[in-house]
Amino acid sequence: MADLYTNAPPVLAPASAEAKNVLIQANTVESILPLNVKSLRYAVGAAELIRGVSFVVQRGSRNIVLGANGAGKSVLLRLLHGLLPPSGGQIEWAHSNAQFKQAMVFQRPIMLRRTARENIEFSLRLTQRGHRSRDSRGHRSRDSRGHRISDVASAAEAALDRVGLAHLADRPARLCSGGEQQRIALARAWALSPEVLFLDEPTASLDPTATKAIEEIIHAINKTGTTIIMTTHDIGQVKRIASRVLFLHRGQLIEDAAATPFFETPQSPEAAAFIKGELLW
């Protein structure tokens, strides 16, 4: 796969000073990390899809949840993001404002019937319905993520510029290609300045060129301080992105290791077989 990327043009242009000022927000509230997951379970009827999973996520890391289809990767992300209620165990964030400091991008991006810019503006305005800070005269000045309320338009434009789509700002988002829609979804999430970004197989349906673009954006988001928690079954992608690998098999966390030792010296027969491309089921 990497050879197919050799001649692909770069997607990310250097960010302007204005874009950096808008997108990289100072962290003026307490961190929601580390995230402690303890004996997490999720069952549907008699079927236990997540079985006693425990791990800790540290700030700034790139965590890849790896496993075959049906291993429980997407279910785990939805549990961590609060989209599903756990059947047992604990999900403990370091601060109570966790819901305002995380975002999620799905395998199939959800585009509103609006332009690319308006998709991002709509998301930013939704955050203003949460807790807002006030200025010295009691007027609402910032939303729950620290954005100045007057900065919504410039934040949306800066987000599109950062993912190389400024020229598509006024195009209806649903008329963009699959790869462009995924970049809009990432721009929309990035504009929220999340401390944690969940990514559920964001390149599963994309070609190599579009995949390279998405991976560049993921690295760029991480460099601004956002912690990545992402699912994939693509071993090559894990090697390109991960600082740490969480290997799931049949709902159990079989292995939790830094990326390099995971691939060089896997500690479980299931992980070793998966790396070799052998079927586990």
Side-chain angles (χ1 to χ4, degrees):
M1 184 72 77
D3 291 339
L4 297 176
Y5 293 159
T6 303
N7 297 318
V11 172
L12 300 181
S16 64
E18 179 182 0
K20 289 181 179 178
N21 288 335
V22 171
L23 288 170
I24 305 176
Q25 303 288 332
N27 187 11
T28 58
V29 298
E30 294 182 67
S31 173
I32 63 173
L33 295 172
L35 165 64
N36 285 278
V37 179
K38 302 177 180 179
S39 302
L40 185 63
R41 295 176 49 255
Y42 182 75
V44 178
E48 197 165 24
L49 305 182
I50 298 295
R51 304 162 61 190
V53 169
S54 299
F55 58 90
V56 178
V57 174
Q58 300 292 347
R59 192 173 185 181
S61 54
R62 298 183 307 280
N63 307 271
I64 301 295
V65 181
L66 177 66
N69 290 336
K73 303 185 301 296
S74 295
V75 172
L76 178 59
L77 249 63
R78 283 163 171 74
L79 286 166
L80 299 179
H81 192 44
L83 299 180
L84 292 175
S87 302
Q90 297 174 307
I91 300 171
E92 297 180 351
W93 297 94
H95 197 270
S96 60
N97 71 339
Q99 70 270 30
F100 297 117
K101 297 290 289 180
Q102 54 181 288
M104 185 166 179
V105 173
F106 298 90
Q107 179 177 337
R108 295 182 179 179
I110 300 171
M111 294 288 106
L112 304 176
R113 294 182 182 274
R114 301 165 185 249
T115 65
R117 180 195 294 109
E118 289 168 343
N119 264 266
I120 299 171
E121 290 178 348
F122 180 80
S123 181
L124 287 168
R125 290 193 173 98
L126 280 181
T127 69
Q128 296 175 1
R129 297 182 181 180
H131 172 74
R132 300 174 174 89
S133 59
R134 296 175 180 269
D135 60 23
S136 59
R137 292 176 294 178
H139 298 149
R140 289 170 175 171
S141 58
R142 293 180 182 272
D143 64 22
S144 59
R145 287 180 167 87
H147 297 113
R148 291 187 181 277
I149 291 176
S150 61
D151 282 347
V152 168
S154 57
E157 292 174 2
L160 285 172
D161 179 59
R162 195 70 184 92
V163 300
L165 293 180
H167 62 292
L168 298 182
D170 295 319
R171 179 178 295 182
R174 294 188 178 186
L175 297 184
C176 295
S177 69
E180 290 166 346
Q181 287 188 23
Q182 195 63 288
R183 285 156 66 185
I184 293 169
L186 282 168
R188 183 169 58 193
W190 196 358
L192 300 176
S193 301
E195 188 173 351
V196 176
L197 177 59
F198 294 101
L199 301 168
D200 190 8
E201 301 202 41
T203 65
S205 59
L206 303 182
D207 63 27
T209 300
T211 295
K212 180 178 184 293
I214 296 300
E215 290 180 0
E216 288 179 351
I217 294 168
I218 292 170
H219 277 290
I221 294 173
N222 178 247
K223 286 179 180 178
T224 66
T226 296
T227 298
I228 303 296
I229 305 177
M230 171 177 159
T231 65
T232 187
H233 57 263
D234 184 337
I235 291 176
Q237 187 167 69
V238 178
K239 292 179 178 179
R240 293 189 294 270
I241 293 178
S243 62
R244 175 208 191 177
V245 179
L246 300 164
F247 180 68
L248 280 187
H249 178 57
R250 295 183 177 177
Q252 289 185 299
L253 182 58
I254 302 296
E255 202 155 336
D256 178 357
T260 298
F262 173 81
F263 286 107
E264 293 182 351
T265 55
Q267 299 300 301
S268 65
E270 293 88 353
F274 188 84
I275 292 169
K276 293 178 182 177
E278 298 175 3
L279 297 177
L280 297 181
W281 295 98

